Amino acid sequence: MAGNKASRPCHHCKSRSASAPTDTSKIHYEKFWLYRHCSSVQQRDRQAQKAGQLFSGLLAMNVVFLGSAFISSMIFNHVAITLADVWILISILKVLCLCWIIYYLLGTSRQPHAVLYRDSHAGAMWIRGSVLLFASCSILLNVFHIGYSTILIHCKSRVEILFPSIGILFICTQAYFLWHHSKDCIQVQHNFTRCGLMLTIATNLLLWLLAVTNDTLHVEIESQLREVERRFAGKAKILVYIPFCNDTALCVCPDMTICKVFQKGYILLYPFNTEYCLICCSVLYVMWKNVGRRISHHHVPHTKPKFKLQGVVFGPVLGAVAVIIGICVFMMYQIQVTGLVPSRQVFVLYYSYYIVLLPLMSVGAAIGTIIHALEKKELDTLKNPTRSLDVILLMGAALGQIGMSYFSIVALVASDPRDLLNSLILSYSVLLIFQNITQNVFIIDGLHRQRFVATAEEEGTGEEQNCEGYDQRRMSVLELGQEIRKASLSYIHSYSHLSWKRRVLREISFFLVLCNIILWVMPTFGGHPAFENGLERSFYGYSTWFVIVNFGLPLGVFYRMHSVGGLLEVYVTA
């Protein structure tokens, strides 16, 4: 190209080119030197970026391995390594993360030219809203833990009050940091920022691992005490398990209302802590990928698609029916399971609800995938770390439910699959695998489609009606009825203007959103039939099955929550 540009004649050089020949070799050499110099700068920049990512990744890996060794030693040899030692280690990591976050907020982000670009795809509203929701629940959880430990201070160490106190400060600071800076593409102090982000990710991972292992001990001891209650009901005094208690001697909760409130609140809010740690890790990872990233102007969308409840009728209705029925089933299940001997019928009802709902979700996702294939929309091939992380999280989190399902299938087929309850659990496990696969394909395919650009007629339909009605704040009953009729006609008009493909995609997406919400609510607030039915537990053994479930169940809950965000993105882009 350099040679062609050099040999091309120009108006100012015609007379000079006739008398003296053009030195093309010199021009080619200068341009080649400039190109080589620029490419070497870009290459050094890429090498420095990879080196920084490698070093920060190694830092996080070593921190996670060290914390995992402490937690494993606490579980298998709690005499040498106690829970207080693990708390001290994680508290030190929390303090280091707090120091870095405060330095980022007050120093790094305020430097000139620090944040020249912001990733529009990162830190979506539903993600930041989830961070605030789970952070609030985690703060309340730590408050209950402090109050609980204060009441039982005679048999507890002061570390059990110090650890949740530091946790409250860490959660508040991290939530503020993620709410305001999750979109940052920082351009200064690359390596220090990467190390700080990776240290915070490693700390959240260790908090999640500690929560999962302590939840395992909590549920195990609680179930053992329940079996003691069944055998010696009314004859023995029931001891209450204290969360985060790793000793054989259990503290007895006094006969006080406030103590019972702290205990029940702690057990109710415990799952939200694990979800908070996982979602913070995902947001921090996107920030880590965006360190030093430069976004060109044509990558920035000019208009952000807004969530509008227009063009959907059947999806919200069917989804609302599924949610209402699910809440009724969940309440009946909770009432029966809290008794000493849960009835067999409540398990049949619980699994029957899933067996009806999961095929509908699978069929809807399959139809949506077929419609995506029939569409002529081009694939979005631009670099997007947020979308890549969404795909990884969807595939990784689905492994929790899929793995538990395969363990259940093996146990039930090997035992007695002809029993009614066993056959229901077997069908539930198979259907759950298909539902996860079909939904992942539908969401991932929808995330890689380019956004639909609405026509002026479609955009103007709702805007005119929105502008009307707000101009007059005082209306009579007759005028109010006329406005409602206009709004209804506008909704029907916008619904009829949508193409049948977009209409079906929106209906399916909204239906799946509501279904995933109820499937997230039920296990989050205590619907754990895998703990209570005893079928898989008798096959694999008590400890083995609890390890399997407590690692798979939090991933399953996180999968449902993350699927809601992906489906909302598919709904908006349809």
Side-chain angles (χ1 to χ4, degrees), residues 6-19:
S7 61
R8 186 180 302 169
C10 61
H11 297 287
H12 300 284
C13 305
K14 278 185 179 180
S15 58
R16 190 174 62 183
S17 62
S19 58

Side-chain angles (χ1 to χ4, degrees), residues 62-72 86 89-90 93 206 209:
N62 283 275
V63 173
V64 170
F65 281 161
L66 176 62
S68 302
F70 264 74
I71 295 173
S72 301
V86 179
L89 174 64
I90 296 182
L93 295 176
L206 291 178
L209 182 60

Side-chain angles (χ1 to χ4, degrees), residues 397-412:
L399 295 179
Q401 289 185 328
I402 292 175
M404 287 177 55
S405 299
Y406 276 116
F407 278 106
S408 298
I409 291 172
V410 172
L412 296 169

